[in-house]
Amino acid sequence: MRVHKLTLTTALIVAAGLSLTACNGDDGTGQGAPPAASTTPSSAGGPDTAGPDQGDGKTPTGQTPTGQGTTGGNSTGGGGTGGSGTGEEAGAGRCRTGDLEITATDNTIEGDPDGTVVVELKNSGGRDCVVSGYAGVDLRTDAGPLSAKRTGARTTPITLKSGKSTAFGITYPVNRTGGSGVRVTGLLVTPPNETKTVALAWPGAATLPVTEGPGSPVKVGPVGSAGQGG
């Protein structure tokens, strides 16, 4: 009987020890964490508030780094709309009629089939200016005004320094018919891209032959074509 009682007592102690171990748990889960710690983020920023965007250099979702968005930083910078521009933008504006001293001289060479008048444009405006294209040219005659026809030669912009000149040529048929022809009484010149006209004396032959065909027998070359009739 003594042996059996000792064995029973020992068995009860072992069973009690196993029960205690089961209650405490080997991984500590038996102690239990407060529900708030596992379901509610801490106001101080625990693991739930840090997330994958903190500490790894990434930008939090929904935010745009300053200076890299579509409307911030250098998205439209870099002088994209700058550039050197045209001559007028750089300070040399169009040559206006009031800036030019305009003169006309006879430049007919003996033996040429046509007569030539050279019109000189001198920049007297005190600033650089740009002239390009064809001037408007009309001859005053006793039969009415006669407009010169453009030769169609290529035009090139010319920057006139203050005090410098350029010129263009006017060619016209010489009256060799022996008749009175059409008497020329004056010359009207309108600089390219201008509306103000300058009246000059006509330095060429006194008369033009009478023509029956359509179009003008008088031709004007572009600015820069002095003496060549275009």
Side-chain angles (χ1 to χ4, degrees), residues 50 64 74 104 125 132 152 171-172 175 180 200 204 219 224:
T64 303
N74 297 324
S132 177
T171 57
Y172 61 94
N175 183 15
S180 59
L200 304 172
K219 297 182 180 180

Side-chain angles (χ1 to χ4, degrees), residues 50-163:
D53 295 325
Q54 296 189 15
D56 59 358
K58 297 180 180 179
T59 303
T61 304
Q63 298 184 21
T64 303
T66 302
Q68 298 179 12
T70 57
T71 59
N74 297 324
S75 59
T76 58
T81 58
S84 59
T86 64
E88 292 190 22
E89 293 173 348
R94 183 175 78 246
C95 293
R96 311 304 296 260
T97 302
D99 299 329
L100 299 172
E101 181 182 337
I102 304 176
T103 56
T105 57
D106 181 27
N107 197 43
T108 302
I109 299 175
E110 187 177 355
D112 283 354
D114 294 322
T116 302
V117 167
V118 170
V119 177
E120 181 180 7
L121 309 175
K122 182 178 180 180
N123 180 6
S124 58
R127 62 177 180 84
D128 296 354
C129 64
V130 178
V131 61
S132 177
Y134 287 81
V137 171
D138 294 278
L139 272 60
R140 286 176 171 171
T141 74
D142 58 359
L146 180 63
S147 296
K149 181 180 179 181
R150 296 179 178 182
T151 62
R154 175 185 292 184
T155 65
T156 302
I158 299 172
T159 299
L160 281 183
K161 299 291 184 180
S162 180

